[in-house]
Amino acid sequence: MFELTVNGKRVTAERDGSLMEYLREELNLTSVKNGCAQGACGACTILVDGRASRACVLKVSGVVGKEILTCEGMSEREKAVYSYCFSRAGAVQCGFCTPGMVMAVKGLLDVQPAPSRDQIKKAIRGNLCRCTGYKKIVDAALMVSEYLRENRPIPEGEDSAVLGESLLRVDAPAKAIGIAEYVDDMRIPGMLFGSAVRSEHPRARVLSIDTSEAEKIPGVVAVLTAADIPGHQKIGHLKKDYDVMIPVGEITHFRGDAVALVAAETREALAAGCAAVRVNYEPLPAVLDLESAVRGDIVVHEELGMEDNLFNEQRLCRGDADAKLAASKYVVTRHYSTPPTEHAFLEPESAVALPDNDGILIYSGDQGIYQTRKECAEVLDLPEERVRVIAKMIGGGFGGKEDMS
């Protein structure tokens, strides 16, 4: 048993473990966001004895006797000031990082009520933001310091919505102090936890999948494979080339393809269930770079009848380039390449699904509810009108959450 103080109240944790998980899962303090669980993004920033700290790298046992503060524990005046100033400064977009930013700024303002821009930059240096840009966040912090020092009232009726005038984003105040609900913040009675067992090889034939040991683990409710899919095995927006799960006898396409799904009553049972699924592979030569993909020595989606790895070809011609080059005084020829780019949104992809009369209701954090409805209906062999999708707050996307999560 561990006793600690959270937002001014004495609480007891029955076991040791991640402080972030305890705050989120046991105390339902969902302003503490799980962005990376590795201390890299700062979305889970809290104050421990007044100092900004990452909750994901702290253990419950390490904060016994300490004062812990999250956005939920701020005074009503502070909540009003932070939510207004961050909104007015335009420092809130997806909002997933903002409660952590607010905690980092509060940690500074509590000891330095009139900070410089450089001091603010230093205070938030461990907090990543992928949407807003840090200038507006620094502007917001300076505005907060002024409102608190001068005890300024929060303006009312500022936004007239007249064409050409700036007005607050309707979702910004709730996002700023962690009230806005993302999918992973949802708490539904009886909710199960689900995850995929993923391929260990970029390209391999799945020879067998043994789920018997996983099914015996207490708390594991179901283990599913491709054989359990009632509808379409493959999904995709432009071309149906993405396997929901790789069937026995078929070939994986990347290191991470799902080969089984596990549902369990607890996260611990889920992890144990995933680890207990035994998959037998026949590793095969893989396509690991663009050059070999272009050569087509191995056709990745041969099962679709494709003769090469070319997904799409478009030619754009304007003017007579050959004539222009021939008439140029200087011609420089070089090879240029660009790196692959990860969207790097902070909110991990997640969804919640539950029965809805004779259909299914899905809460998703993706960027396209209609495509989600269409493809889930195809997989489940249901008419689209029996699949309802509700979009929750999206913690960054940048195009990376247009596909199925």
Side-chain angles (χ1 to χ4, degrees):
M1 301 284 284
F2 303 91
E3 291 190 358
L4 48 154
T5 302
V6 179
N7 295 334
K9 298 180 180 179
R10 298 290 292 176
V11 296
T12 301
E14 294 184 357
R15 55 190 177 84
D16 200 5
S18 165
L19 177 60
M20 178 187 69
E21 290 187 8
Y22 174 71
L23 295 175
R24 286 184 56 82
E25 306 303 330
E26 300 295 330
L27 301 184
N28 201 31
L29 298 174
T30 55
S31 73
V32 184
K33 301 302 181 190
N34 180 5
C36 68
Q38 297 178 352
C41 73
C44 66
T45 300
I46 58 174
L47 298 187
V48 179
D49 283 349
R51 183 173 180 175
S53 308
R54 296 172 179 82
C56 68
V57 296
L58 295 175
K59 294 289 187 182
V60 171
S61 58
V63 293
V64 171
K66 298 182 183 297
E67 298 279 343
I68 297 168
L69 186 77
T70 71
C71 279
E72 290 89 346
M74 292 194 299
S75 69
E76 294 305 312
R77 166 65 177 169
E78 287 177 316
K79 291 177 182 178
V81 170
Y82 276 96
S83 61
Y84 172 78
C85 292
F86 270 73
S87 301
R88 178 55 67 194
V92 184
Q93 288 194 42
C94 89
F96 195 78
C97 73
T98 314
M101 289 282 185
V102 165
M103 283 288 98
V105 171
K106 176 173 168 53
L108 171 65
L109 298 186
D110 284 351
V111 296
Q112 178 51 269
S116 66
R117 297 189 75 91
D118 286 341
Q119 287 175 316
I120 295 170
K121 290 178 182 178
K122 184 177 180 181
I124 63 172
R125 68 187 185 279
N127 295 69
L128 300 182
C129 175
R130 287 284 289 113
C131 304
T132 306
Y134 296 95
K135 180 183 182 302
K136 292 182 178 181
I137 295 172
V138 175
D139 291 343
L142 289 171
M143 192 185 304
V144 169
S145 79
E146 293 174 3
Y147 269 77
L148 292 178
R149 288 196 325 269
E150 300 170 11
N151 199 26
R152 290 190 197 177
I154 302 300
E156 296 182 5
E158 275 189 314
D159 295 336
S160 63
V162 172
L163 187 65
E165 288 191 1
S166 175
L167 69 159
L168 299 183
R169 291 176 58 115
V170 294
D171 55 358
K175 287 177 174 178
I177 55 174
I179 297 173
E181 188 177 64
Y182 300 80
V183 176
D184 194 37
D185 298 334
M186 296 181 67
R187 301 293 182 266
I188 298 174
M191 185 169 70
L192 302 177
F193 299 92
S195 184
V197 177
R198 301 191 179 276
S199 169
E200 301 173 3
H201 306 278
R203 186 168 179 267
R205 189 177 301 279
V206 177
L207 301 179
S208 65
I209 304 173
D210 183 358
T211 64
S212 58
E213 291 303 314
E215 292 165 350
K216 296 176 184 176
I217 293 176
V220 170
V221 175
V223 184
L224 306 176
T225 66
D228 298 299
I229 297 174
H232 291 209
Q233 166 62 37
K234 289 182 181 287
I235 58 173
H237 291 3
L238 304 179
K239 185 186 290 290
K240 302 220 175 278
D241 59 356
Y242 192 98
D243 290 86
V244 179
M245 286 182 278
I246 303 295
V248 172
E250 296 299 323
I251 296 174
T252 66
H253 303 107
F254 73 102
R255 191 170 183 265
D257 256 330
V259 294
L261 298 176
V262 179
E265 296 172 348
T266 65
R267 295 179 187 272
E268 293 77 13
L270 175 63
C274 289
V277 174
R278 296 289 175 257
V279 185
N280 187 20
Y281 299 96
E282 177 193 353
L284 300 171
V287 176
L288 302 177
D289 55 61
L290 185 61
E291 289 74 15
S292 60
V294 171
R295 287 197 308 270
D297 303 331
I298 298 169
V299 178
V300 175
H301 286 287
E302 191 173 15
E303 80 280 3
L304 297 178
M306 296 182 66
E307 298 180 354
D308 55 34
N309 293 313
L310 185 63
F311 178 80
N312 193 318
E313 181 177 2
Q314 299 201 14
R315 300 185 68 84
L316 178 63
C317 300
R318 180 181 177 185
D320 190 344
D322 292 334
K324 293 292 185 182
L325 289 171
S328 297
K329 183 176 181 180
Y330 301 106
V331 176
V332 178
T333 302
R334 290 180 178 174
H335 173 82
Y336 295 91
S337 62
T338 60
T341 302
E342 167 58 40
H343 302 87
F345 41 77
L346 293 186
E347 179 203 18
E349 294 184 78
S350 57
V352 173
L354 60 158
D356 185 31
N357 296 322
D358 61 345
I360 187 170
L361 172 60
I362 300 169
Y363 293 95
S364 72
D366 61 33
Q367 295 176 263
I369 59 173
Y370 295 103
Q371 194 66 30
T372 296
R373 181 178 71 165
K374 178 178 184 296
E375 295 182 5
C376 285
E378 291 173 351
V379 171
L380 298 171
D381 196 25
L382 290 174
E384 286 189 33
E385 59 267 22
R386 286 172 59 186
V387 178
R388 184 184 181 203
V389 180
I390 298 176
K392 301 295 287 184
M393 295 293 178
I394 301 172
F398 324 111
K401 291 180 181 175
E402 290 182 350
D403 297 316
M404 289 275 282
S405 66

